[in-house]
């Protein structure tokens, strides 16, 4: 099953689920983020009888305001090497602000303050059942599903200090989507091909089996410090091939198309747009 948010032809924003028939089954409107409410209910909220075709809507980010977005840095060994940073003995965790979320087929804005902008293709985990000090062996019970995140980063801001949050939280710097695929449909999240192309050129291509800290370890580590909540997003890190690690460095330019594909999840497509 896929959980998604969309704007209909009437301009109204709804949440819905898509099953085998490929149609969207809208969820009841309760106000706020209805997709988040569905996750928090454990799937107890049922869609109505009506259906909507995918070609009749504009897809939005599957979550409008998740409680937290936990980013994981340097979680592929070769990416740590290309970034000239040491592989850590524990996960490198930073935050991305929810105000930076944008959906598929939208523009990623590049203001002049966002110096040295870069792309990062990432598999993201969406928490279903929350919990504190979750055991590694219990990880599956706490995963609702998976989505795609492009961890766009202004390297000039990010690396100016030891604190990464602001450099990764410019408006539109967290493209997410196109939907959340439930855990049962993905199976093993550590056997997925992940690829990013920039204006047609392959920049990143790897497999999630190369993750240093895998999903069970990430959930156990983070929940050992803060209680995880339904709808929390853990973006698991990016493989090698980012602009920072290239010679010469390859920063995002105006009018480029970024396309991320992750096996069993889908495709997330965005364009860059410079603004004054």
């Amino acid at each position: 099953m896929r959980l998604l948010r969309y704007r209909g032809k009437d301009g109204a924003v709804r949440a819905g689920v898509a099953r085998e028939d490929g149609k969207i089954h809208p969820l009841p409107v309760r106000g706020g983020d209805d997709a988040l409410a569905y996750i928090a209910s454990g799937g107890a909220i049922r869609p109505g009888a009506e259906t909507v075709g995918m070609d009749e809507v504009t897809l939005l980010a599957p979550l409008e305001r998740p409680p937290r977005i936990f980013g994981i840095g340097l979680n592929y060994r070769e990416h740590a090497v290309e970034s000239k940073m040491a592989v850590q003995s524990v996960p490198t965790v930073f935050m991305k602000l929810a105000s930076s979320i944008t959906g598929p087929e939208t523009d990623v804005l590049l203001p002049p303050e966002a110096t040295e902008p870069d792309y990062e293709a990432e598999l993201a985990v969406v928490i279903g059942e929350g919990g504190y000090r979750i055991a590694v062996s219990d990880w599956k019970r706490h995963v609702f599903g998976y989505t795609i995140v492009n961890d766009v980063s202004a390297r000039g801001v990010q690396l100016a200090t030891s604190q990464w949050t602001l450099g990764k939280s410019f408006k539109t710097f967290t493209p997410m989507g196109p939907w959340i695929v439930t855990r049962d449909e993905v199976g093993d999240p550590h056997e997925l091909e992940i690829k990013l192309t920039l204006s047609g050129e392959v920049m990143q291509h790897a497999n999630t089996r190369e993750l240093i800290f895998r999903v069970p370890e990430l959930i156990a580590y983070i929940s050992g410090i803060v209680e995880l909540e339904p709808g929390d997003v853990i973006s698991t890190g990016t493989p090698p091939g980012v602009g920072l690690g290239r010679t010469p460095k390859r920063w995002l330019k105006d009018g480029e198309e970024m396309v991320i594909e992750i096996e069993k999840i889908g495709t997330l497509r965005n364009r860059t747009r410079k603004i004054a």
Side-chain angles (χ1 to χ4, degrees), residues 19 21 42 102-103 110-111 114 124 131 134 152 162 229 259 274:
R19 298 196 174 98
D21 59 5
T102 191
L110 302 179
I134 297 167
V152 181
S162 60
E229 301 177 20
V259 181
K274 280 195 174 183

Side-chain angles (χ1 to χ4, degrees), residues 181-199:
V181 181
T182 49
R183 184 193 70 232
D184 59 302
E185 290 201 7
V186 172
D188 186 354
H190 311 108
E191 290 291 339
L192 304 176
E193 291 289 311
I194 178 171
K195 180 172 70 172
L196 180 145
T197 60
L198 187 58
S199 295

Side-chain angles (χ1 to χ4, degrees), residues 26-56:
L27 293 168
V29 176
R30 299 190 169 204
D33 191 334
D34 291 327
L36 182 58
Y38 180 83
I39 293 171
S41 77
I45 299 173
R46 300 296 183 185
E50 64 175 310
T51 62
V52 182
M54 284 283 185
D55 58 351
E56 301 177 65

Side-chain angles (χ1 to χ4, degrees), residues 12 28 30 33-34 49 53 69 74 88 94 112 133 135 145 165 187 199 202 215-216 228-229 244:
R30 299 190 169 204
D33 191 334
D34 291 327
I69 306 170
L74 311 174
Q88 304 297 300
F94 58 89
R133 301 179 69 191
T165 297
S199 295
V202 177
V215 175
L228 288 174
E229 301 177 20
L244 175 67

Side-chain angles (χ1 to χ4, degrees), residues 62-128:
L63 291 172
E64 181 181 21
R65 287 289 187 270
R68 279 85 54 96
I69 306 170
F70 298 93
I72 308 299
L74 311 174
N75 203 21
Y76 288 77
R77 194 170 302 276
E78 290 183 21
H79 174 55
V81 171
E82 73 176 356
S83 301
K84 298 180 173 57
M85 296 182 186
V87 175
Q88 304 297 300
S89 58
V90 296
T92 298
V93 183
F94 58 89
M95 307 303 294
K96 286 179 74 82
L97 302 182
S99 57
S100 66
I101 290 175
T102 191
E105 305 290 348
T106 59
D107 288 347
V108 171
L109 305 178
L110 302 179
E113 296 84 0
T115 52
E116 301 178 344
D118 207 348
Y119 52 85
E120 295 191 26
E122 305 200 5
L123 170 71
V125 182
V126 179
I127 297 298

Side-chain angles (χ1 to χ4, degrees), residues 121-142:
E122 305 200 5
L123 170 71
V125 182
V126 179
I127 297 298
E129 180 182 337
Y132 181 53
R133 301 179 69 191
I134 297 167
V136 169
S137 59
D138 286 342
W139 72 278
K140 285 185 180 179
R141 184 162 63 90
H142 296 271

